[in-house]
Amino acid sequence: MATTELHAPGAARKSRPGKNGKPVTVGRIALYATLTVVSLLMVVPFVWMVLTSLKTPVEIASQDAGLLPEHWEFGNYLDALKAAPFATYARNSFIIAFSHTLINVVVASMAGYALARIRFRGSEVIFYLFIAALMIPTYTKVLPEFLIVRFMPLAGGNDLFGQGGSGWLDSWWALIVPGAVTPFAVFLFRQFYLDLPVELEEAARLDGLGEFRIYARIMTPQVKPALTTVALLTFESSWNNFLWPLLVTRSDSLRVIQVGLSVFKTENGPQWHFLMAGTTLATLPMVILFLIGQRYFVQGFATAGLK
Amino acid sequence: MQLNRRSLLAAIGAGTAAAALGGCGTGTSTAGSAEGPAEGEITLLTPIYEGADGKTLLEKEILGGFRKKYPDVKVNVDYTTYAQLNEKITTGLAGGLLPDVLMMGVGWIPPFAAKKAIAALPEKFASAHDYEKRVLEPSRYDGKLYALPVVLDTRIVVYRKDHFAEAGIKKTPANWAELRAVAKQLTKNGRTGFDPFSIELRQCWETFLFANGGQLFSADGKKVLFTDARGVEALQFFKDLIADGSAVYAKKTDLGAPTNVQTGKSSMMMTSSALWTQVGQQTPDLLKDDKLGAFVLANRRPAMLQGGTLVTQSASSKHPAAARALVEYLATPESILGAARQRGSVPGLKDLSDSSYVKENKFVGLSLRSMGDACSEGGTAAWMEIREKIKPTLEPAIVGNQSAKDAIAELGRLAEAAIGRM
Amino acid sequence: MGATSVLKARPAPPSSPAGNPVAKKRAGRVPTGPGRRRQRAGMVMVAPALLHASLWIGLPVVASVVLAFTKYDVLTAPQFVGLDNFRDMMDDAVFRKSIVNTVVYTFFTVPFGMMLGLLVALALHTGLKARGIFRTAVFLPQVTATVAIALVWLWIYNPGNGLLNTLLSFLGIDGPAWLSSTSWAMPSVILVGIWQGIGMKMLIYLAALQNLPKELYEAASVDGASKVRQFFSITLPLLKPATFFVLITSMISAFQSFDQIYILTDGGPANSTTMMTYEIYKSAFREFRVGYACAQSLVLFVLLMGFTLVNRRIMGGTRGHN
């Protein structure tokens, strides 16, 4: 029962206008039940995270403590926030994540569009290169990338040959530029642009629109879900980035939220209550962002239906 | 064949990367003299003094005092975590920007000193404070002093006094035969007598190797010595405990989680001196009721593994006099007592035995009293590589069917290959 | 030939009952009459991303390839050693083990994760109430830093009082020591991998589903095709670009999974969960053998390339049966 429901996007769409139009069927109940179970499985670790963030270290360590905290220690949150300048860290993370998202959406969608819709010399090869670029592990890239940042010519006291100073190290450039465009996003956009009907493009071309306008005005509005997806994923991975910001910065004023959270993972093991409180707070903006972002998802969905 | 800057340029054909890679080996280019007046702007890389408390301790108290003494030195602090310390040091070295003063773990000094990445300190630092001779051993390479200890962590055996009393055991085991018998006796009702595995297997085996009278490497660090019977016996002892049922590898606890002696699931365990602080936070009743005791592992000799954080100075510092002054200052009794208190570590100076911190923390007190039995890992320039091989190579003997002899022999082969590559 | 056209992942024209004019038109996608201006516009549009990737990925790759033939410990300048690193790798039993582990991990996480991701996306694509909450729940693992979430899993898998074994004990089952058992550690890690990856796969499928033209489904319904039939002959073929994307990116990220291993098992017990990226990390940053790590990376890269080509073939294979 559930399976037939699962495979019926068309039918579901028809049912959308009438709010309560769909009668409650066995299949629907089964679908809700399955989804509820799946969602619970996904959420359990977070529930534990939040509950732990409200316990005392003694209670966390206790063998026979219940799942719920005995006393709800909301003070953990205040104490955790006091452990490091989290306001600065959060602001920095936000600036970096926002810049990454903006740059990635614009630059990668342009590239994705060109690779999907325009056949030019070398386009095939370039596409393969982007896929290949995806395959390089972080720990292989990180040292050479660090060296490029450090020996960046004419920056941070460096001469034309990158010697003498410290390049982009400990600057916003190092935090923002290297991770600004991802091959992942280029690849994703390309796959979405591939899927659009050719008529749109042809009609626009007959109207005398230039290629850039066709990309910006005609085609890109059609891939709103992809824009949202890339934006969400870019923001999220940038917000959660830890290693790179730690490596290229030295000043506390340029450090990011994940580096701040690492304060609670001491050599002698994590300070669970603070770590979980801090992580909960750091996750919250992402959850809110997703809740907002998915509204645009639905919007893209609705406008596509009108056309 | 040595790759020089120009040949790499040709190979890569891109200016930036060539400059980058070429810069790798140029760490020693602009080092100044350490004898002049201490002045200039220097950077300190530290994995300790974490959090707002640590920051206050370091920047207000310790560096506040330092500034008064050396008003012409400005110190920038680069905080990192232990887990990412290697990445910070690796990238710093490759970029020719190693911080002027940096903190490292025990065992790291020979590899860095052998490659001349860190600078030797004047010998008078070794006698400036009341160091137990062994405490400075990990700071030395080729007879010269390269670092000073800031905080130490030791590996000792902690036991439940109440379990011992219940079983009528009056004294702590003085050798492995007794240890094995006591462990067996204490094993009952789902409780294991001994948990050696909740510390890193590498450090655990090393402690047993040293207690068995064994050694890791020859004095020059060129020969592997742990492959003899003493090394094999140390590993075999774990297998014997497992066969007796008095130790279970799968029941080890994770770092930071309440340990098996805290929960009462084991009567004895190998642990770090920092456990006292952890118990105080997680299960303070155990301290109040005086239920925890500690002793130093012994077989042919007593042995306490000594790890910790050392402070050293980059060989490429542009302000070596300032860097040296900071190294010296970070290792003064006042500085290290604060650092030790913040993290429950051992301040490695006999002068501090009378401090209230050492008196209150019994594990730290025992460690400081037993410094004569301290042994350290490392001792070879190839240590960075070998240390990573120990756990993965020995583990199959413990969780699998491999014999202790084969596992040790395999580790010996890997270690020799690593030394051969130096 | 067939293989390359699949990489372009043009949706295959669905056969009847969906074989209607709309579908046929969608197939002839790339417009004819190239025009030089268009070509130039294409190049200009791809240039910023390409330049960025050339500098921040291309250059590091070139450097890594060069370093793979050197001995480089960061402390002294790189020294050319020919094929020594590759010879050392032949003797490195742990690295061989890590290759096997990586392949096993990928083999289990990718297909199961994709299947679950697609199913959840399909379920959430229907006009359910509260689908926003479900979506968020499924996506939640993706938005939290792996490091923190892996710590939570550490607690779930704790053999003593962890959640999993507590639940099993209600059923009268004495659960194993998940992460310290050589036979259970890998499945435990795989489970975390699947759990964490579903959100992303779902999101991409969801985005792709929203781009599907509903006319096809209407026409198919008129033709009397069952829902299952519609799924296999319309939805699945039209999802091919998305599926190809999800497959390739999931495979790559499975090959590169690191944080889980780092926190959960440290590669153990007895190397039963160590993976290639973890070995590369250890070689480069713990053992200071950067040259060797670059050689290992090269092997990883070649393997991944190989798997991608195989996948392209497989995707080509499924085309025929539609």
Side-chain angles (χ1 to χ4, degrees):
Chain A
M1 307 297 100
T3 43
T4 38
E5 279 296 338
L6 288 178
H7 303 148
R13 237 179 260 199
K14 267 184 249 158
S15 76
R16 282 195 79 245
K19 247 188 173 176
N20 299 316
K22 190 99 181 173
V24 180
T25 63
V26 180
R28 188 138 284 239
I29 291 168
L31 182 59
Y32 271 110
T34 318
L35 278 175
T36 307
V37 171
V38 170
S39 303
L40 279 178
L41 285 176
M42 303 305 275
V43 167
V44 161
F46 295 92
V47 174
W48 186 80
M49 185 169 95
V50 174
L51 291 176
T52 306
S53 73
L54 294 165
K55 290 180 177 178
T56 61
V58 175
E59 208 181 344
I60 294 169
S62 162
Q63 291 298 291
D64 33 41
L67 207 56
L68 295 179
E70 228 166 281
H71 310 282
W72 298 70
E73 292 284 337
F74 289 100
N76 283 348
Y77 281 80
L78 291 178
D79 292 342
L81 286 176
K82 272 188 223 142
F86 277 106
T88 312
Y89 293 164
R91 186 206 63 187
N92 294 347
S93 286
F94 181 82
I95 293 174
I96 298 166
F98 185 77
S99 331
H100 278 175
T101 307
L102 201 68
I103 299 172
N104 208 12
V105 164
V106 173
V107 174
S109 71
M110 250 171 20
Y113 172 80
L115 291 175
R117 312 295 304 195
I118 305 170
R119 204 172 270 164
F120 55 90
R121 235 181 25 183
S123 62
E124 197 101 324
V125 176
I126 291 172
F127 171 60
Y128 285 116
L129 285 177
F130 276 114
I131 293 198
L134 261 179
M135 298 178 186
I136 314 300
T138 315
Y139 276 101
T140 311
K141 282 182 298 194
V142 78
L143 186 59
E145 279 180 347
F146 178 90
L147 293 176
I148 297 173
V149 164
R150 183 254 175 272
F151 291 106
M152 187 56 70
L154 302 176
N158 278 352
D159 58 20
L160 190 62
F161 303 101
Q163 303 290 327
S166 59
W168 278 357
L169 287 183
D170 212 29
S171 75
W172 285 104
W173 296 106
L175 288 167
I176 293 174
V177 175
V181 184
T182 59
F184 178 89
V186 174
F187 187 14
L188 191 134
F189 275 121
R190 176 192 177 271
Q191 297 306 95
F192 273 84
Y193 282 114
L194 268 186
D195 212 15
L196 297 177
V198 73
E199 296 85 350
L200 277 173
E201 201 181 338
E202 277 170 350
R205 201 157 291 127
L206 285 180
D207 290 349
L209 257 62
E211 202 58 42
F212 192 79
R213 283 199 158 173
I214 297 177
Y215 149 76
R217 296 269 180 80
I218 310 294
M219 305 298 265
T220 302
Q222 301 297 314
V223 293
K224 265 191 198 142
L227 293 171
T228 323
T229 310
V230 168
L232 275 172
L233 292 175
T234 309
F235 198 95
E236 167 261 313
S237 73
S238 179
W239 180 265
N240 287 331
N241 200 355
F242 167 63
L243 181 66
W244 181 255
L246 177 72
L247 289 181
V248 297
T249 60
R250 195 194 61 206
S251 322
D252 221 20
S253 58
L254 283 175
R255 290 260 154 109
V256 299
I257 193 126
Q258 294 301 333
V259 176
L261 288 177
S262 70
V263 159
F264 305 123
K265 282 174 284 181
T266 68
E267 195 200 359
N268 299 321
Q271 293 173 286
W272 289 92
H273 52 307
F274 290 152
L275 180 63
M276 293 303 150
T279 309
T280 305
L281 287 181
T283 311
L284 217 57
M286 295 301 98
V287 175
I288 294 169
L289 199 73
F290 186 77
L291 282 168
I292 299 170
Q294 63 170 2
R295 219 173 270 177
Y296 290 94
F297 245 65
V298 178
Q299 208 180 49
F301 168 70
T303 49
L306 288 173
K307 278 183 182 148
Chain B
M1 168 187 159
Q2 194 86 4
L3 277 186
N4 62 25
R5 220 173 271 191
R6 234 162 280 281
S7 73
L8 265 170
L9 189 94
I12 293 168
T16 312
L21 283 169
C24 304
T26 58
T28 47
S29 52
T30 45
S33 157
E35 304 309 326
E39 56 187 20
E41 192 172 340
I42 56 174
T43 303
L44 163 69
L45 175 68
T46 170
I48 62 171
Y49 309 110
E50 58 263 88
D53 297 343
K55 198 175 168 180
T56 312
L57 169 70
L58 178 64
E59 293 182 23
K60 295 261 157 58
E61 293 173 31
I62 299 176
L63 292 182
F66 180 75
R67 260 193 303 276
K68 266 187 214 133
K69 206 168 163 197
Y70 300 100
D72 297 331
V73 182
K74 184 172 186 291
V75 182
N76 299 313
V77 187
D78 184 353
Y79 295 91
T80 182
T81 60
Y82 257 105
Q84 269 70 37
L85 181 61
N86 283 41
E87 283 95 318
K88 274 299 250 197
I89 292 180
T90 312
T91 48
L93 278 169
L97 287 177
L98 196 63
D100 303 85
V101 177
L102 62 162
M103 302 220 174
M104 292 183 168
V106 161
W108 293 36
I109 298 302
F112 282 81
K115 294 286 165 61
K116 301 191 170 57
I118 52 176
L121 300 171
E123 189 57 35
K124 64 172 197 245
F125 283 10
S127 47
H129 306 294
D130 195 4
Y131 289 110
E132 180 72 51
K133 188 168 163 274
R134 284 184 174 276
V135 168
L136 289 180
E137 252 168 44
S139 304
R140 292 185 181 280
Y141 174 72
D142 213 8
K144 277 190 265 181
L145 184 73
Y146 280 89
L148 292 173
V150 177
V151 288
L152 304 178
D153 293 288
T154 60
R155 301 293 178 276
I156 50 179
V157 190
V158 167
Y159 68 100
R160 286 287 289 255
K161 288 181 176 172
D162 51 335
H163 292 189
F164 270 50
E166 206 177 278
I169 302 166
K170 296 260 157 38
K171 76 182 227 338
T172 54
N175 57 46
W176 290 358
E178 286 180 32
L179 179 63
R180 192 172 169 188
V182 167
K184 211 167 171 181
Q185 192 187 342
L186 287 163
T187 301
K188 59 179 175 194
N189 307 334
R191 178 212 286 168
T192 56
F194 186 32
D195 169 18
F197 300 125
S198 288
I199 59 170
E200 173 78 27
L201 183 62
R202 180 187 87 239
Q203 295 171 333
C204 185
W205 171 74
E206 285 164 359
T207 313
F208 277 76
L209 170 78
F210 293 136
N212 204 22
Q215 275 175 294
L216 280 171
F217 307 102
S218 60
D220 62 359
K222 299 254 163 68
K223 258 214 208 78
V224 173
L225 297 181
F226 59 76
T227 42
D228 63 1
R230 300 187 176 198
V232 177
E233 280 164 21
L235 185 59
Q236 184 59 42
F237 188 69
F238 300 147
K239 290 182 75 111
D240 293 343
L241 287 173
I242 293 171
D244 288 349
S246 40
V248 180
Y249 191 70
K251 287 194 178 161
K252 64 181 161 75
T253 42
D254 298 309
L255 201 62
T259 58
N260 283 327
V261 284
Q262 285 172 269
T263 57
K265 285 177 182 164
S266 286
S267 303
M268 298 180 281
M269 75 182 290
M270 290 299 300
T271 184
S272 132
S273 46
L275 183 68
W276 187 270
T277 307
Q278 187 183 342
V279 176
Q281 284 161 3
Q282 294 178 336
T283 44
D285 289 348
L286 286 177
L287 301 185
K288 220 169 55 203
D289 304 339
D290 189 30
K291 282 188 177 162
L292 294 183
F295 60 93
V296 173
L297 182 79
N299 194 34
R300 289 194 167 94
R301 52 162 290 197
M304 179 176 75
L305 191 77
Q306 169 207 330
T309 306
L310 315 174
V311 60
T312 180
Q313 158 180 15
S314 158
S316 56
S317 172
K318 282 182 186 138
H319 306 286
R324 180 180 286 180
L326 182 60
V327 169
E328 188 183 12
Y329 198 85
L330 286 173
T332 54
E334 309 79 65
S335 305
I336 66 176
L337 186 61
R341 183 176 278 139
Q342 200 217 340
R343 49 198 310 100
S345 311
V346 181
L349 281 176
K350 279 189 272 184
D351 317 19
L352 295 169
S353 329
D354 294 330
S355 63
S356 63
Y357 167 70
V358 175
K359 282 191 168 151
E360 280 158 23
N361 188 321
K362 290 193 183 154
F363 298 167
V364 166
L366 172 77
S367 304
L368 207 50
R369 279 196 306 281
S370 314
M371 274 303 164
D373 299 327
C375 301
S376 297
E377 57 180 15
T380 168
W383 179 246
M384 301 313 282
E385 195 181 330
I386 296 170
R387 84 195 279 271
E388 293 306 319
K389 305 291 187 204
I390 298 179
K391 183 183 167 196
T393 315
L394 299 187
E395 220 173 23
I398 288 170
V399 296
N401 298 323
Q402 204 185 18
S403 75
K405 208 172 148 220
D406 290 352
I408 296 288
E410 169 71 12
L411 184 61
R413 268 195 298 279
L414 292 172
E416 272 159 13
I419 292 172
R421 270 192 285 271
M422 279 300 118
Chain C
M1 253 324 286
T4 21
S5 58
V6 168
L7 242 199
K8 280 196 237 77
R10 175 182 304 166
S15 57
S16 166
N20 57 46
V22 188
K24 288 233 173 74
K25 254 189 209 163
R26 290 171 53 84
R29 207 181 22 82
V30 178
T32 45
R36 209 181 245 160
R37 257 180 57 202
R38 275 200 78 208
Q39 287 206 22
R40 202 176 308 138
M43 288 181 205
V44 169
M45 287 166 90
V46 90
L50 188 63
L51 280 176
H52 186 274
S54 311
L55 178 59
W56 297 105
I57 304 174
L59 205 56
V61 167
V62 174
S64 301
V65 171
V66 173
L67 286 174
F69 300 93
T70 66
K71 182 178 141 187
Y72 179 38
D73 64 0
V74 184
L75 295 158
T76 38
Q79 232 181 323
F80 183 73
V81 293
L83 294 172
D84 273 11
N85 289 327
F86 296 91
R87 234 169 274 139
D88 285 350
M89 225 182 299
M90 305 283 248
D91 297 329
D92 191 340
V94 177
F95 188 63
R96 276 204 306 274
K97 177 96 181 135
S98 80
I99 297 178
V100 175
N101 287 341
T102 307
V103 172
V104 169
Y105 176 84
T106 308
F107 185 79
F108 282 99
T109 49
V110 173
F112 285 112
M114 282 178 73
M115 229 146 64
L116 288 169
L118 177 59
L119 283 176
V120 174
L122 286 165
L124 292 177
H125 190 59
T126 57
L128 282 184
K129 271 183 224 156
R131 59 187 180 280
I133 293 170
F134 288 130
R135 258 184 232 149
T136 311
V138 176
F139 196 65
L140 207 49
Q142 180 71 34
V143 302
T144 318
T146 318
V147 176
I149 216 63
L151 281 171
V152 178
W153 277 94
L154 215 51
W155 166 77
I156 291 178
Y157 282 137
N158 185 312
N161 57 344
L163 181 69
L164 193 54
N165 279 0
T166 310
L167 288 177
L168 286 175
S169 71
F170 288 137
L171 304 171
I173 301 169
D174 195 14
W178 299 98
L179 295 170
S180 12
S181 141
T182 39
S183 37
W184 284 105
M186 190 47 130
S188 307
V189 170
I190 288 174
L191 186 67
V192 178
I194 295 177
W195 174 84
Q196 209 185 10
I198 291 180
M200 164 102 105
K201 298 177 176 76
M202 169 207 73
L203 193 65
I204 289 158
Y205 272 126
L206 214 48
L209 282 171
Q210 278 152 23
N211 271 6
L212 298 188
K214 65 176 188 192
E215 304 88 351
L216 286 184
Y217 293 95
E218 278 157 11
S221 296
V222 172
D223 288 355
S226 77
K227 298 277 160 63
V228 178
R229 185 73 198 261
Q230 285 180 25
F231 172 73
F232 282 107
S233 51
I234 309 177
T235 312
L236 216 48
L238 287 181
L239 281 180
K240 210 169 228 179
T243 302
F244 179 69
F245 175 82
V246 174
L247 179 67
I248 298 297
T249 54
S250 312
M251 195 181 68
I252 290 173
S253 76
F255 255 77
Q256 297 180 355
S257 49
F258 175 83
D259 286 334
Q260 296 101 300
I261 306 301
Y262 186 76
I263 306 261
L264 290 177
T265 64
D266 194 25
N271 300 314
S272 57
T273 57
T274 193
M275 308 230 192
M276 293 172 81
T277 31
Y278 196 61
E279 289 298 316
I280 291 169
Y281 156 76
K282 283 210 295 192
S283 302
F285 291 99
R286 289 208 200 156
E287 301 178 9
F288 291 82
R289 294 176 73 191
V290 176
Y292 187 59
C294 287
Q296 289 175 317
S297 309
L298 216 57
V299 172
L300 174 91
F301 183 78
V302 169
L303 261 177
L304 256 179
M305 263 301 182
F307 274 96
T308 308
L309 294 176
V310 169
N311 276 323
R312 219 176 58 175
R313 272 283 151 78
I314 293 172
M315 297 281 289
T318 50
R319 272 192 81 202
H321 106 355
N322 284 316

